[in-house]
Amino acid sequence: METILMQLDEDDSLQDALSKLGLVNIPSNAILDKTLPGIGATFSEIHAGRNSIIIEPNVPVITGKTKKHPDLHLFPVYEDATVPKIKAYLMDSEIKFKRFLTTPESFWKIKEAIQGTDFDLFTDFFCLFDESERLTQDVGYRKKITNPVKDFFQFQSKAFVSATPLDIHHPEVTKQNFKRYKVQPTFDYREPLQLIVTNEPLFELREILNELGSSNKVCIFFNSVKGIQRIIENIPLTDYTVFCSHEGKKKLENSEIVNVKTYFQAPISQYSLFTCRFFSAVDFDLDELTHVIIYTDLNQAEHTMIDPFTEAIQIQGRFRNKIQGKRFKSLTHITNIKRELDVISDEDIRNIIVYHKNHYDYLKKKFYEENNEAVSITIKKDIQNNTYYSLLDEEMKLDPFAVHNLYNEERVKGYYTSAEALIEAYIKSGFFILDVILKSSYVFESKRRSIQKSRLKKEKIKTLVKAIEQIQDSDIDDFRKIITPHLKETDLVIEAYRKLGKAAFESVDFDIQKIKKKLEEFENSQRKNNVEFQKEIAESFELNIHHNKNFYRDRLSAIYSNHGITDKVLQNTINDYFEIKKNNSVSSGTIKLIKFRF
């Protein structure tokens, strides 16, 4: 794909960059890579002298821009818009240029309303697909977001736009000779970002908010409604507002969380918490600077991962007003990592898709061959549950965005398998001046408090086992030093967890004496299986010679002691290692060894 660079000087808008190329408006068949959020792509289009359909990813963007430009007669199209109202707007002769802002799911209403009017959808309108990366990022849980794509490519004039576009793997992009228009700032636009990697994100967040105090306002971006509830209840927060979807609002209010809004509105509370609905495109025109915290907690939900190449850039881009040259007081990303995340390679994804397609084709064939209605219904359910089926669009054709979504999710997941991978991703994004803080002590502190407060030994042991689950092996020695003064069995528990696992503790209801016994049995068994131990036994006894049983017992006891085996040695323990033969006629109570068993 041809790339055309667009120079952008400081304080320039997108319109200025377009003008330097001799362009009046956003060109057609373009993937417009703005590089910087907030330089006015949508602004440019809604002021262009033409009819426009701008597809926005979420309702808050639409309502925000509609309120911001009341003189332009923008028509918002989402749940409440009806086809008759849209048709009336189209027929209003006093509105020279028809400008729609629509969600992908409501695009069909415009298409239907245009029928029977003097307008032609594909020749009379410029179609702009804003925040185009969301087609790939959101299709996994929001299937209808790609519904307008087929129509989009039929427009005579159209463009994708984003400050953080992902590659678009649609055949029409190549067939229609799309060009990438890349904004190239002539100044250092990077923002300082503090990346804090910690085992205990909530504890770290609490510490930061305590340090900031009540005189500072904070915006927290966290893609989990349940997680936001946890923050509010556990820190706790009182002066707050949550911004999320209608569904999220219902869930929070059912849990007695108040001050929940589905649209952005200033002034803001001391603490403002946003789900992904507000990560991109919404303009926060605030008259004061706030601290911005991006929050990830993989223990809460893996979908709280933030992509350094897209979402992190978009989030900081929500803040538009500059005060003394700054758009916010500070920018921080708090996150934990999970080394055990199962990241699927590109090759494996391709193989998995082929596997599911073969199974899908097999089920379809069986469905058409089946005569029994009950069986047909069952097969149909199996088809709909098939992964390949989920990758198909409305016309039952493979959706390129749904396929790329699989690759994209694994790409982002890979960043969170280690602090090093996440740091590298942030550096490669080229957008941030990174300050990295690696912390593990907070999980230690929170668990230390829990152990210290627990009255029963079993509860202390249970808390310790749960903590060990969450701690990386590299941190375990530091953790041991902090916990041991409050629980003398710490070393024993850590050793038993490593050798026996969590299930062993659960099987004895976290009874430390029983665990100690299990550990001793395990270690004795391991030592007995040691080659050196078995070799010493084999070499310490002669075959076919009579000895008293006590002789064997005493010598075997010495060998056990040499190898740290604590099992009690009896007269007949020698039977575990040798085939024996008694011979009471030679000497009462004597035996001879015939053959070594190992």
Side-chain angles (χ1 to χ4, degrees), residues 283-299:
D283 298 345
F284 295 169
D285 296 314
L286 304 176
D287 56 7
E288 60 184 317
L289 297 179
T290 73
H291 293 275
V292 180
I293 297 177
I294 302 169
Y295 187 78
T296 297
D297 187 348
L298 304 180
N299 293 328

PDB file of all heavy atoms in Angstrom, residues 283-299:
ATOM      1  N   ASP A 283     -14.455  13.572  23.573  1.00  0.00           N
ATOM      2  CA  ASP A 283     -13.669  14.755  23.928  1.00  0.00           C
ATOM      3  C   ASP A 283     -13.926  15.144  25.376  1.00  0.00           C
ATOM      4  O   ASP A 283     -15.074  15.373  25.772  1.00  0.00           O
ATOM      5  CB  ASP A 283     -14.040  15.942  23.033  1.00  0.00           C
ATOM      6  CG  ASP A 283     -13.751  15.659  21.568  1.00  0.00           C
ATOM      7  OD1 ASP A 283     -13.015  14.699  21.296  1.00  0.00           O
ATOM      8  OD2 ASP A 283     -14.263  16.400  20.704  1.00  0.00           O
ATOM      9  N   PHE A 284     -12.859  15.216  26.171  1.00  0.00           N
ATOM     10  CA  PHE A 284     -12.970  15.695  27.551  1.00  0.00           C
ATOM     11  C   PHE A 284     -12.455  17.135  27.583  1.00  0.00           C
ATOM     12  O   PHE A 284     -11.265  17.380  27.752  1.00  0.00           O
ATOM     13  CB  PHE A 284     -12.135  14.835  28.506  1.00  0.00           C
ATOM     14  CG  PHE A 284     -12.597  13.409  28.641  1.00  0.00           C
ATOM     15  CD1 PHE A 284     -11.805  12.471  29.279  1.00  0.00           C
ATOM     16  CD2 PHE A 284     -13.824  12.995  28.131  1.00  0.00           C
ATOM     17  CE1 PHE A 284     -12.217  11.159  29.418  1.00  0.00           C
ATOM     18  CE2 PHE A 284     -14.243  11.685  28.255  1.00  0.00           C
ATOM     19  CZ  PHE A 284     -13.439  10.759  28.900  1.00  0.00           C
ATOM     20  N   ASP A 285     -13.340  18.067  27.395  1.00  0.00           N
ATOM     21  CA  ASP A 285     -12.961  19.484  27.415  1.00  0.00           C
ATOM     22  C   ASP A 285     -13.092  19.997  28.837  1.00  0.00           C
ATOM     23  O   ASP A 285     -14.128  20.564  29.221  1.00  0.00           O
ATOM     24  CB  ASP A 285     -13.848  20.278  26.450  1.00  0.00           C
ATOM     25  CG  ASP A 285     -13.636  19.850  25.004  1.00  0.00           C
ATOM     26  OD1 ASP A 285     -12.467  19.716  24.607  1.00  0.00           O
ATOM     27  OD2 ASP A 285     -14.629  19.647  24.285  1.00  0.00           O
ATOM     28  N   LEU A 286     -12.039  19.806  29.623  1.00  0.00           N
ATOM     29  CA  LEU A 286     -12.073  20.161  31.034  1.00  0.00           C
ATOM     30  C   LEU A 286     -11.373  21.499  31.262  1.00  0.00           C
ATOM     31  O   LEU A 286     -10.429  21.854  30.552  1.00  0.00           O
ATOM     32  CB  LEU A 286     -11.382  19.071  31.868  1.00  0.00           C
ATOM     33  CG  LEU A 286     -11.941  17.651  31.697  1.00  0.00           C
ATOM     34  CD1 LEU A 286     -11.093  16.662  32.495  1.00  0.00           C
ATOM     35  CD2 LEU A 286     -13.399  17.582  32.134  1.00  0.00           C
ATOM     36  N   ASP A 287     -11.828  22.213  32.273  1.00  0.00           N
ATOM     37  CA  ASP A 287     -11.210  23.504  32.582  1.00  0.00           C
ATOM     38  C   ASP A 287     -10.159  23.382  33.678  1.00  0.00           C
ATOM     39  O   ASP A 287      -9.719  24.381  34.245  1.00  0.00           O
ATOM     40  CB  ASP A 287     -12.285  24.527  32.981  1.00  0.00           C
ATOM     41  CG  ASP A 287     -13.138  24.048  34.148  1.00  0.00           C
ATOM     42  OD1 ASP A 287     -12.818  22.993  34.721  1.00  0.00           O
ATOM     43  OD2 ASP A 287     -14.128  24.744  34.484  1.00  0.00           O
ATOM     44  N   GLU A 288      -9.761  22.132  33.994  1.00  0.00           N
ATOM     45  CA  GLU A 288      -8.707  21.897  34.970  1.00  0.00           C
ATOM     46  C   GLU A 288      -7.961  20.623  34.606  1.00  0.00           C
ATOM     47  O   GLU A 288      -8.489  19.735  33.945  1.00  0.00           O
ATOM     48  CB  GLU A 288      -9.296  21.771  36.376  1.00  0.00           C
ATOM     49  CG  GLU A 288     -10.301  20.632  36.522  1.00  0.00           C
ATOM     50  CD  GLU A 288     -10.939  20.588  37.891  1.00  0.00           C
ATOM     51  OE1 GLU A 288     -10.207  20.763  38.880  1.00  0.00           O
ATOM     52  OE2 GLU A 288     -12.166  20.376  37.969  1.00  0.00           O
ATOM     53  N   LEU A 289      -6.701  20.554  35.028  1.00  0.00           N
ATOM     54  CA  LEU A 289      -5.892  19.375  34.746  1.00  0.00           C
ATOM     55  C   LEU A 289      -6.157  18.292  35.777  1.00  0.00           C
ATOM     56  O   LEU A 289      -6.321  18.579  36.961  1.00  0.00           O
ATOM     57  CB  LEU A 289      -4.406  19.738  34.754  1.00  0.00           C
ATOM     58  CG  LEU A 289      -3.943  20.736  33.687  1.00  0.00           C
ATOM     59  CD1 LEU A 289      -2.452  21.007  33.851  1.00  0.00           C
ATOM     60  CD2 LEU A 289      -4.241  20.233  32.289  1.00  0.00           C
ATOM     61  N   THR A 290      -6.192  17.051  35.313  1.00  0.00           N
ATOM     62  CA  THR A 290      -6.407  15.921  36.216  1.00  0.00           C
ATOM     63  C   THR A 290      -5.219  14.955  36.107  1.00  0.00           C
ATOM     64  O   THR A 290      -4.406  15.040  35.189  1.00  0.00           O
ATOM     65  CB  THR A 290      -7.692  15.146  35.862  1.00  0.00           C
ATOM     66  OG1 THR A 290      -7.475  14.400  34.657  1.00  0.00           O
ATOM     67  CG2 THR A 290      -8.867  16.083  35.675  1.00  0.00           C
ATOM     68  N   HIS A 291      -5.132  14.052  37.048  1.00  0.00           N
ATOM     69  CA  HIS A 291      -4.207  12.926  36.939  1.00  0.00           C
ATOM     70  C   HIS A 291      -4.933  11.807  36.198  1.00  0.00           C
ATOM     71  O   HIS A 291      -6.107  11.532  36.471  1.00  0.00           O
ATOM     72  CB  HIS A 291      -3.768  12.462  38.324  1.00  0.00           C
ATOM     73  CG  HIS A 291      -2.929  13.465  39.056  1.00  0.00           C
ATOM     74  ND1 HIS A 291      -1.575  13.566  38.895  1.00  0.00           N
ATOM     75  CD2 HIS A 291      -3.279  14.439  39.953  1.00  0.00           C
ATOM     76  CE1 HIS A 291      -1.108  14.536  39.663  1.00  0.00           C
ATOM     77  NE2 HIS A 291      -2.116  15.081  40.311  1.00  0.00           N
ATOM     78  N   VAL A 292      -4.247  11.159  35.274  1.00  0.00           N
ATOM     79  CA  VAL A 292      -4.854  10.105  34.457  1.00  0.00           C
ATOM     80  C   VAL A 292      -4.195   8.770  34.816  1.00  0.00           C
ATOM     81  O   VAL A 292      -2.973   8.633  34.744  1.00  0.00           O
ATOM     82  CB  VAL A 292      -4.665  10.384  32.952  1.00  0.00           C
ATOM     83  CG1 VAL A 292      -5.301   9.267  32.118  1.00  0.00           C
ATOM     84  CG2 VAL A 292      -5.276  11.741  32.597  1.00  0.00           C
ATOM     85  N   ILE A 293      -5.027   7.806  35.211  1.00  0.00           N
ATOM     86  CA  ILE A 293      -4.530   6.478  35.573  1.00  0.00           C
ATOM     87  C   ILE A 293      -5.188   5.420  34.686  1.00  0.00           C
ATOM     88  O   ILE A 293      -6.415   5.293  34.664  1.00  0.00           O
ATOM     89  CB  ILE A 293      -4.800   6.154  37.055  1.00  0.00           C
ATOM     90  CG1 ILE A 293      -4.040   7.139  37.957  1.00  0.00           C
ATOM     91  CG2 ILE A 293      -4.388   4.717  37.381  1.00  0.00           C
ATOM     92  CD1 ILE A 293      -4.304   6.943  39.438  1.00  0.00           C
ATOM     93  N   ILE A 294      -4.365   4.703  33.944  1.00  0.00           N
ATOM     94  CA  ILE A 294      -4.821   3.539  33.184  1.00  0.00           C
ATOM     95  C   ILE A 294      -4.603   2.335  34.093  1.00  0.00           C
ATOM     96  O   ILE A 294      -3.529   2.176  34.672  1.00  0.00           O
ATOM     97  CB  ILE A 294      -4.020   3.387  31.881  1.00  0.00           C
ATOM     98  CG1 ILE A 294      -4.145   4.659  31.030  1.00  0.00           C
ATOM     99  CG2 ILE A 294      -4.480   2.169  31.096  1.00  0.00           C
ATOM    100  CD1 ILE A 294      -3.187   4.697  29.852  1.00  0.00           C
ATOM    101  N   TYR A 295      -5.620   1.513  34.216  1.00  0.00           N
ATOM    102  CA  TYR A 295      -5.577   0.454  35.240  1.00  0.00           C
ATOM    103  C   TYR A 295      -5.859  -0.904  34.607  1.00  0.00           C
ATOM    104  O   TYR A 295      -6.830  -1.072  33.861  1.00  0.00           O
ATOM    105  CB  TYR A 295      -6.612   0.761  36.320  1.00  0.00           C
ATOM    106  CG  TYR A 295      -6.577  -0.149  37.526  1.00  0.00           C
ATOM    107  CD1 TYR A 295      -5.619   0.018  38.522  1.00  0.00           C
ATOM    108  CD2 TYR A 295      -7.498  -1.172  37.683  1.00  0.00           C
ATOM    109  CE1 TYR A 295      -5.592  -0.799  39.640  1.00  0.00           C
ATOM    110  CE2 TYR A 295      -7.488  -1.996  38.795  1.00  0.00           C
ATOM    111  CZ  TYR A 295      -6.528  -1.802  39.770  1.00  0.00           C
ATOM    112  OH  TYR A 295      -6.501  -2.617  40.871  1.00  0.00           O
ATOM    113  N   THR A 296      -4.993  -1.865  34.914  1.00  0.00           N
ATOM    114  CA  THR A 296      -5.155  -3.241  34.430  1.00  0.00           C
ATOM    115  C   THR A 296      -5.026  -4.188  35.614  1.00  0.00           C
ATOM    116  O   THR A 296      -4.093  -4.055  36.404  1.00  0.00           O
ATOM    117  CB  THR A 296      -4.076  -3.589  33.386  1.00  0.00           C
ATOM    118  OG1 THR A 296      -4.221  -2.741  32.258  1.00  0.00           O
ATOM    119  CG2 THR A 296      -4.200  -5.041  32.944  1.00  0.00           C
ATOM    120  N   ASP A 297      -5.959  -5.120  35.724  1.00  0.00           N
ATOM    121  CA  ASP A 297      -5.862  -6.149  36.766  1.00  0.00           C
ATOM    122  C   ASP A 297      -6.231  -7.482  36.138  1.00  0.00           C
ATOM    123  O   ASP A 297      -7.412  -7.790  35.945  1.00  0.00           O
ATOM    124  CB  ASP A 297      -6.786  -5.824  37.944  1.00  0.00           C
ATOM    125  CG  ASP A 297      -6.572  -6.786  39.119  1.00  0.00           C
ATOM    126  OD1 ASP A 297      -5.897  -7.816  38.933  1.00  0.00           O
ATOM    127  OD2 ASP A 297      -7.086  -6.502  40.220  1.00  0.00           O
ATOM    128  N   LEU A 298      -5.223  -8.262  35.797  1.00  0.00           N
ATOM    129  CA  LEU A 298      -5.462  -9.535  35.118  1.00  0.00           C
ATOM    130  C   LEU A 298      -6.105 -10.563  36.023  1.00  0.00           C
ATOM    131  O   LEU A 298      -6.711 -11.522  35.534  1.00  0.00           O
ATOM    132  CB  LEU A 298      -4.146 -10.082  34.562  1.00  0.00           C
ATOM    133  CG  LEU A 298      -3.389  -9.135  33.615  1.00  0.00           C
ATOM    134  CD1 LEU A 298      -2.112  -9.788  33.127  1.00  0.00           C
ATOM    135  CD2 LEU A 298      -4.266  -8.747  32.438  1.00  0.00           C
ATOM    136  N   ASN A 299      -5.978 -10.375  37.330  1.00  0.00           N
ATOM    137  CA  ASN A 299      -6.671 -11.277  38.254  1.00  0.00           C
ATOM    138  C   ASN A 299      -8.169 -11.002  38.243  1.00  0.00           C
ATOM    139  O   ASN A 299      -8.977 -11.891  38.495  1.00  0.00           O
ATOM    140  CB  ASN A 299      -6.123 -11.110  39.672  1.00  0.00           C
ATOM    141  CG  ASN A 299      -4.683 -11.578  39.787  1.00  0.00           C
ATOM    142  OD1 ASN A 299      -4.274 -12.503  39.103  1.00  0.00           O
ATOM    143  ND2 ASN A 299      -3.903 -10.928  40.632  1.00  0.00           N
TER     144      ASN A 299
END
